[in-house]
Amino acid sequence: MEEKKNDQKKVLQLKIDKLVSGGKGLGRHENKVYFVKYTAPNELVEIEVIKEKRDYGEGKLLKVIIPSNARVEPVCPHYGVCGGCQLQHISYEEQVRQKVEIFKEQLQRVGKIKELPPVEAIPSPQPYGYRIRAQFHVDSGKLGFVEDETLREIKGYGDIVDIETCPVLHPRINELIPDLKRVSVEYKNLREVHVTYSPNRDEALIKLVAEGGLTRQDLHRVKNGFLPPWVVGVGSYKRVGRELIRQEFVGRDYTFIAAKGFTYRVTAESFVQNNYLLWDRFIETILPGERRGYCLDTFCGIGFFTIPFSEHAFFVEGSDMNHYAIADANYNAKINGRPNTLFLRATPSQHMKRHLDKEIDTVLFDPPRSGLDRRDLEVLKELQPDRIVYVSCNPSTLARDLGKILSWGIYRYDKAYVIDLFPQTAHIESVNFLSKVEEKI
Ligand SMILES: C[S@@+](CC[C@H](N)C(=O)[O-])C[C@H]1O[C@@H](n2cnc3c(N)ncnc32)[C@H](O)[C@@H]1O
């Protein structure tokens, strides 16, 4: 392909072969691979090289010379500047197809898994308006998301991309944006706003992170003076590393959601799955086809999977390190009449260790992006449940963990689903089923 050097700039023409993890397009020039954002497979593009390493480079898209058939006009005016979405320029059908390919590639490359199971895609019923949680960054009237990573790297800092609406958010969260901007003009120390919306109750909880915190009086003023009545609770939080610590809360600190005929209480601190349009389908995917025995649901959160799963099992124990989530899960077991469940605050390794003397049927894992840790894998190897269900939001740590589990020679990888909880973004959620290999006679 052609190479030009203008004013020190290195400009190349590349054909994009495929998308890779993170949603970047991959093309080759003189045996070197280049990663380019906002491109699509089979496109011919012109790029400016912005990073040149020994074995790979990164490019900035200058021009699409021959577009892909799957290229579409992005819906959002901030696309390409805002760091939230990576795939709006690709038709939704093609996004899902590409995610399945990236998923398989990660299993093979990172996990060294040779025999892949059948992989089925579950698309989101709608590709926009699906998100019921938002984390906004704010600064004196500006509210939005942090800038695209490449722009941040070039500038050395990241601006807040000030938005009026965000098309992946539930419309009710978008309605709050002007009110939240007014709050941030009034409270100049406000840095983050976290919203959780319940589409079943039509109500929202809001967490505010402000430098120096906000008083109860401030929170009452924000809740009653700036926000609509369907925001039922507002809290002031302090950020400590990746965690938010509650300082004050006014109003109700929980809401309820409904999925697959079950009702769940969700406290402001508890995790709730983001794409409400897939809640029922997600639960259906993890439910077993036949009645199961004694099962463990690690990283259980509010009991989102534990409670429905318990209708198909002798007993299900859930565990999570978040004590608010465990309190919700216990409450949820009661209101849904599930006596064959128990919840405890524990890491997966602590939880599994309690059962080393038992026959465990299924262990379900749904970890954060970091995946399982060394202890979790060691105890799992000792426990050897009949089945493993691994729900993952990060194919790379999933591949690492499954690669290890399969190397023990005890498990077979039966089936995987790529369930698209995050349309328009490069995030890949999957559900993976492993079963113990039959003893040879
Ligand atoms: C992806 S969420 C899944 C929650 C639940 N399965 C659901 O579908 O709602 C991950 C959960 O893991 C919990 N968690 C994070 N690190 C943990 C750890 N080291 N040990 C136990 N739980 C942890 C979080 O509190 C969160 O509830």
Side-chain angles (χ1 to χ4, degrees):
M1 296 277 165
E2 197 179 311
E3 176 175 338
K4 294 184 247 172
K5 278 193 179 156
N6 312 327
D7 312 329
Q8 311 291 4
K9 275 187 192 170
K10 184 172 168 187
V11 175
L12 302 177
Q13 280 189 11
L14 292 180
K15 179 179 165 279
I16 300 298
D17 296 331
K18 59 177 183 178
L19 294 192
V20 296
S21 174
K24 292 174 186 168
L26 177 151
R28 282 168 215 278
H29 180 79
E30 291 173 355
N31 289 330
K32 191 169 183 176
V33 296
Y34 287 88
F35 300 104
V36 194
K37 281 183 181 170
Y38 312 119
T39 58
N42 299 319
E43 285 188 331
L44 182 64
V45 295
E46 186 166 281
I47 65 160
E48 178 192 334
V49 175
I50 51 171
K51 197 184 270 178
E52 191 91 75
K53 300 272 179 192
R54 206 163 52 85
D55 45 358
Y56 78 96
E58 272 188 40
K60 184 171 153 223
L61 178 65
L62 296 178
K63 196 163 41 169
V64 179
I65 301 165
I66 303 177
S68 149
N69 292 337
R71 183 167 276 277
V72 294
E73 201 52 44
V75 164
C76 178
H78 305 292
Y79 184 61
V81 178
C82 171
C85 291
Q86 298 75 35
L87 302 176
Q88 278 192 27
H89 64 285
I90 297 178
S91 72
Y92 185 53
E93 296 69 27
E94 185 61 18
Q95 288 181 26
V96 175
R97 240 173 44 77
Q98 288 299 320
K99 286 189 186 185
V100 171
E101 291 311 310
I102 297 169
F103 174 74
K104 289 184 188 168
E105 193 262 348
Q106 292 272 300
L107 291 172
Q108 285 169 324
R109 197 174 52 80
V110 181
K112 309 270 180 283
I113 300 171
K114 290 193 187 79
E115 277 182 51
L116 293 188
V119 181
E120 204 175 302
I122 304 174
S124 176
Q126 285 171 36
Y128 285 102
Y130 61 85
R131 256 191 100 109
I132 53 102
R133 277 167 52 210
Q135 296 186 10
F136 298 112
H137 289 260
V138 290
D139 193 5
S140 313
K142 264 187 166 186
L143 176 144
F145 302 107
V146 178
E147 266 180 325
D148 168 84
E149 195 192 339
T150 314
L151 294 175
R152 284 198 323 253
E153 274 179 24
I154 293 170
K155 295 195 322 193
Y157 63 92
D159 272 323
I160 295 171
V161 180
D162 192 23
I163 61 164
E164 304 305 322
T165 60
C166 164
V168 301
L169 294 180
H170 190 287
R172 273 302 225 187
I173 301 188
N174 277 321
E175 275 180 41
L176 288 175
I177 290 178
D179 299 334
L180 294 171
K181 285 190 176 189
R182 286 193 298 117
V183 175
S184 85
V185 171
E186 186 73 8
Y187 294 94
K188 298 224 165 8
N189 55 341
L190 193 61
R191 293 291 166 262
E192 293 171 52
V193 178
H194 297 229
V195 183
T196 302
Y197 173 70
S198 163
N200 311 102
R201 293 290 170 106
D202 185 27
E203 58 186 34
L205 305 174
I206 291 190
K207 298 197 274 189
L208 302 172
V209 183
E211 272 169 28
L214 295 173
T215 63
R216 278 189 80 73
Q217 204 187 1
D218 292 332
L219 293 177
H220 276 294
R221 200 168 151 244
V222 169
K223 183 172 178 307
N224 302 326
F226 288 82
L227 299 172
W230 54 272
V231 175
V232 295
V234 182
S236 170
Y237 286 75
K238 185 170 157 189
R239 178 168 283 290
V240 179
R242 295 175 64 85
E243 297 217 4
L244 295 189
I245 311 293
R246 187 194 288 210
Q247 312 277 269
E248 293 285 356
F249 210 99
V250 303
R252 179 148 50 77
D253 68 351
Y254 58 87
T255 180
F256 290 92
I257 62 157
K260 198 69 194 144
F262 298 95
T263 300
Y264 299 86
R265 184 182 81 185
V266 185
T267 300
E269 278 77 1
S270 297
F271 173 88
V272 60
Q273 297 287 353
N274 234 314
N275 185 337
Y276 79 105
L277 301 166
L278 278 169
W279 282 345
D280 286 5
R281 190 71 179 86
F282 204 0
I283 291 171
E284 284 161 17
T285 308
I286 60 99
L287 290 182
E290 57 200 28
R291 197 160 174 81
R292 309 305 314 186
Y294 209 108
C295 303
L296 311 183
D297 177 14
T298 66
F299 306 99
C300 70
I302 59 171
F304 187 73
F305 297 133
T306 332
I307 286 167
F309 202 98
S310 71
E311 282 196 336
H312 304 259
F314 169 69
F315 202 90
V316 191
E317 277 190 17
S319 61
D320 199 286
M321 279 308 277
N322 178 348
H323 65 87
Y324 288 100
I326 290 299
D328 284 340
N330 274 314
Y331 183 87
N332 294 335
K334 266 202 203 95
I335 59 172
N336 291 289
R338 300 308 315 150
N340 62 335
T341 56
L342 182 144
F343 294 93
L344 60 145
R345 184 168 179 267
T347 65
S349 60
Q350 290 166 341
H351 189 189
M352 289 186 287
K353 233 176 166 179
R354 294 163 57 110
H355 296 284
L356 287 176
D357 58 344
K358 274 200 206 83
E359 286 280 311
I360 292 297
D361 181 313
T362 303
V363 176
L364 200 143
F365 297 107
D366 184 7
R369 289 186 61 75
S370 50
L372 302 180
D373 68 22
R374 189 180 47 80
R375 278 302 291 147
D376 299 335
L377 289 165
E378 279 168 10
V379 185
L380 177 67
K381 194 176 178 186
E382 266 189 85
L383 183 70
Q384 289 192 22
D386 290 344
R387 298 190 329 141
I388 296 168
V389 182
Y390 192 140
V391 179
S392 158
C393 57
N394 184 350
S396 147
T397 53
L398 169 82
R400 177 200 68 196
D401 295 343
L402 290 191
K404 280 196 192 124
I405 294 171
L406 292 168
S407 75
W408 303 335
I410 314 169
Y411 290 99
R412 185 178 53 214
Y413 192 178
D414 296 322
K415 173 94 191 162
Y417 294 91
V418 167
I419 178 161
D420 194 21
L421 297 189
F422 311 101
Q424 317 309 331
T425 79
H427 292 290
I428 302 177
E429 183 88 11
S430 66
V431 185
N432 304 272
F433 294 89
L434 282 77
S435 61
K436 222 164 167 181
V437 178
E438 299 281 335
E439 300 269 336
K440 284 205 180 92
I441 304 165

